[in-house]
Amino acid sequence: DCSTLLLDKTGTITLGNRQASEFIPVSGVTEQHLAEVAQLSSLADETPEGRSIVVLAKEQYGLRERELAGAELVPFTAQTRMSGVDFGGRAIRKGAADSVRRWVEEAGVDVPPELGEVVDGIASAGGTPLVVAEGADGDDATSTRRALGVIHLKDVVKQGMRERFDELRAMGIRTVMITGDNPLTAAAIAAEA
């Protein structure tokens, strides 16, 4: 008696082990600096995505893992949709574009317009954009926050998914993808699957 099948995107429709494929800085930021900050934001991130960011920074930019003595880790939560680390007077964040944008703008700092274009471009292609930002640690130093760029995470649709969904539709079963991902990314993955 099933008429609708709800499926999670990550790990069900896609392979689920999104991998960092490139660092895309905004104007005025070097790829090297973005890679360094992205790596720092991911040192304590044990997810496949986090590990892939550390690996990409090491392989493409020669950055070795470092110990962050006295660092305060900022864990990812569903409420903040970002994570990071505070250490040595620095605050580093990575996460969903809207969340990191809000974190930067709370300091009264504008986010470069090109950031949205990069985020939308990655999402439209079916990737997941993670925005990286840095600033001074502490509430009194918020005005130094700035967006640095975007990490492009690639997600791959599992082989044969389109055919399986065609079979389900032929049986009269509607399929619905569920995801907390960026709507543009979700639309691109849905179109592919």
Side-chain angles (χ1 to χ4, degrees):
D1 291 339
C2 179
S3 62
T4 304
L5 179 62
L6 306 176
L7 297 145
D8 183 47
K9 177 183 78 71
T10 306
T12 304
I13 296 173
T14 65
L15 293 175
N17 55 343
R18 296 178 294 190
Q19 299 292 302
S21 63
E22 65 181 317
F23 299 115
I24 305 166
V26 296
S27 297
V29 176
T30 65
E31 280 185 47
Q32 182 76 26
H33 183 68
L34 175 58
E36 288 173 8
V37 176
Q39 181 204 48
L40 289 170
S41 74
S42 301
L43 287 176
D45 184 347
E46 292 299 325
T47 65
E49 293 89 351
R51 300 314 313 149
S52 76
I53 293 166
V54 172
V55 168
L56 182 65
K58 180 180 177 183
E59 290 177 354
Q60 287 194 357
Y61 299 91
L63 299 172
R64 300 274 178 218
E65 288 191 40
R66 297 172 266 183
E67 290 295 321
L68 298 176
E72 180 182 334
L73 302 178
V74 178
F76 178 87
T77 68
Q79 291 76 29
T80 64
R81 298 178 57 225
M82 63 181 176
S83 62
V85 63
D86 294 338
F87 73 100
R90 292 175 76 186
I92 296 172
R93 298 292 182 273
K94 76 167 184 217
D98 58 337
S99 298
V100 177
R101 174 186 293 274
R102 211 170 13 260
W103 184 76
V104 170
E105 290 176 345
E106 282 173 1
V109 177
D110 291 330
V111 173
E114 69 187 279
L115 186 73
E117 295 167 14
V118 172
V119 166
D120 290 348
I122 291 169
S124 295
T128 299
L130 289 181
V131 174
V132 179
E134 70 177 342
D137 190 5
D139 294 334
D140 57 340
T142 57
S143 63
T144 62
R145 292 180 187 170
R146 67 181 181 143
L148 301 177
V150 184
I151 303 166
H152 181 176
L153 296 178
K154 287 193 175 179
D155 203 356
V156 179
V157 173
K158 289 181 179 177
Q159 189 172 358
M161 291 307 289
R162 177 181 285 277
E163 294 78 14
R164 287 186 188 138
F165 290 147
D166 288 344
E167 291 169 9
L168 289 167
R169 279 191 288 279
M171 294 172 15
I173 299 173
R174 185 173 81 124
T175 57
V176 177
M177 181 178 71
I178 300 172
T179 183
D181 218 333
N182 178 308
L184 289 173
T185 301
I189 294 294
E192 185 178 342

